[in-house]
Amino acid sequence: MAFVEDPSVFLADFGRACTLAGAELQAIVDVETVADEATGVLTQRPVARVVAADASGAASGQAFVDDGTAYTVRQVLTEPPDGVMLALVLARD
């Protein structure tokens, strides 16, 4: 089943203005906890969730700035089920 809601509504309520490679966009920036499947070790990483159409050129190595904090995009992940949203895995500079 495809996501039929307008994702900009969620970003208007929970997102904030950020920049990706110098272009402004709305993002929900958070820290998520991930378990390593092999070892079970938990790690935390910053992630920005953005509308895929707003960040169609998102790629590893790009600069991402949130509220004056600079990050580098480590990985771009398509969010299930339909790829309307992207998760940008970040590393703080």
Side-chain angles (χ1 to χ4, degrees):
M1 183 172 183
F3 184 75
V4 295
E5 299 294 328
D6 180 5
S8 64
V9 173
F10 299 108
L11 292 169
D13 288 342
F14 304 108
R16 53 185 176 235
C18 299
T19 60
L20 174 63
E24 189 169 311
L25 74 164
Q26 290 289 314
I28 299 171
V29 181
D30 201 2
V31 175
E32 69 180 14
T33 302
V34 180
D36 182 285
E37 291 180 21
T39 63
V41 174
L42 298 176
T43 58
Q44 291 187 321
R45 63 186 186 189
V47 175
R49 288 188 167 72
V50 299
V51 176
D54 295 343
S56 59
S60 297
Q62 290 181 323
F64 184 88
V65 180
D66 170 42
D67 196 28
T69 303
Y71 298 91
T72 300
V73 177
R74 291 180 45 204
Q75 192 175 20
V76 179
L77 304 171
T78 303
E79 291 285 307
D82 54 10
V84 170
M85 300 289 288
L86 297 176
L88 308 178
V89 179
L90 307 172
R92 193 169 180 172
D93 290 349

